[in-house]
Structures are given as structure tokens and as C-alpha cells.
Amino acid sequence: MRRWLLAGGLALGAVLTALRTRHHERRYPPHGRVLDLAEGPTHVIEGGAGEAPPVVLIHGSDGVALDWPVSPLWDALAGHAHLIAPDRPGHGHTPARPGTPVT
């Protein structure tokens, strides 16, 4: 009996998590765009001077790409560089890569 209750609780938790995830994805769509790369979809936010040299801004382990456009550094670099801020795998709107740990 306990096993059935545990299995039912886990199944209910999975369904509720999936529903909540879909709700948040609709409510908070990605800013920028999602690139279809060979390694998997990768969300990026771009800005700055389009013809200038590219500068890739990588967020920290607990961050997301959206941290960059609100940073003073973004505005300081925007006139001199093509800014590219990707979400690392498993962060923001870039899914984790199967079989690869999120570090």
C-alpha cells in the first residue's frame, strides 16, 4: 500500500511540475532568441553595435543571460561591441544537455 501511495505522490508531483513549468514558460518567454545549434537549443540575448567586434558575456553559476542587459557593463560596452549573452546549458532558457552535468 505504501508503495502505491509513494508512486501516486511522485506521479502527481511530476504532473504538477510539468504544468507549472509550462505556465512559467508562457508567462516569461525568452528575451532574445533561441539558436538551433548542433549541441542543442541555446538561448542568447544580443545587443550593442551590430557591426562591432563580438564580445561574449558568460553568466555565473547561479545566473542567466538576462543578468547582462541590466548590468552597467552592458551599457558601457554597447557602443563599442556586438554583445552576445548566452544562457549556459541548464540555465535560463537553455535546456541541460542529456548526459552532461550542469556545472
Side-chain angles (χ1 to χ4, degrees):
M1 181 66 162
R2 285 185 178 172
R3 288 183 184 179
W4 287 106
L5 287 174
L6 178 61
L10 289 173
L12 178 61
V15 168
L16 292 175
T17 299
L19 291 173
R20 198 72 178 149
T21 299
R22 277 191 229 128
H23 168 75
H24 284 291
E25 287 172 348
R26 282 191 307 274
R27 188 169 180 189
Y28 306 105
H31 295 263
R33 60 190 175 130
V34 177
L35 303 176
D36 187 22
L37 303 179
E39 298 82 16
T42 301
H43 171 248
V44 297
I45 298 173
E46 297 179 82
E51 299 300 320
V55 172
V56 178
L57 301 167
I58 306 295
H59 63 78
S61 63
D62 63 344
V64 293
L66 195 54
D67 293 343
W68 286 111
V70 298
S71 166
L73 184 61
W74 186 271
D75 291 334
L77 293 173
H80 311 284
H82 174 199
L83 304 174
I84 304 165
D87 273 326
R88 293 171 44 217
H91 297 268
H93 293 283
T94 298
R97 308 293 191 236
T100 304
V102 176
T103 61

